[in-house]
Amino acid sequence: MLAILDRLLLRKLRSVFNGKEREITALEAIIHQLMQKEAAGDGRASRVLLKYEDLARNSPEAAPQIAFVDSDYTDALTAPAAEPDNA
């Protein structure tokens, strides 16, 4: 049963975020949707997210993952500093 759940939750889906199409897992889509509902004040979504977080934290297979994402913000941080105008 766990193998079936893993296969379903890790299946790749196409989704649109901020006007850009991305490929994400079904689990990521579920969590994203729950986060949006939680931000809108849905207490049930908040409780479900807490249960997911607890499950992930206590999973023996849980390992931290670091993802580097390029954005306008990170580009601005890495851009050379402009010379000050001394007029």
Side-chain angles (χ1 to χ4, degrees):
M1 171 108 167
L2 289 177
I4 294 170
L5 282 174
D6 279 348
R7 191 174 71 239
L8 290 173
L9 291 174
L10 298 177
R11 185 180 61 175
K12 294 288 185 174
L13 307 171
R14 291 187 188 272
S15 187
V16 177
F17 290 95
N18 299 326
K20 295 180 182 177
E21 189 173 290
R22 287 184 36 200
E23 195 171 270
I24 61 173
T25 64
L27 181 58
E28 287 173 301
I30 291 167
I31 290 174
H32 180 72
Q33 190 173 46
L34 286 169
M35 290 172 65
Q36 286 180 322
K37 288 182 178 184
E38 179 186 41
D42 187 328
R44 185 174 176 201
S46 183
R47 289 187 300 277
V48 171
L49 276 172
L50 286 173
K51 287 184 180 183
Y52 270 130
E53 184 180 336
D54 187 47
L55 180 66
R57 190 174 287 130
N58 294 319
S59 172
E61 296 174 5
Q65 293 182 342
I66 298 173
F68 295 95
V69 179
D70 289 329
S71 69
D72 292 339
Y73 178 74
T74 57
D75 290 344
L77 287 175
T78 59
E83 292 293 321
D85 256 347
N86 291 333

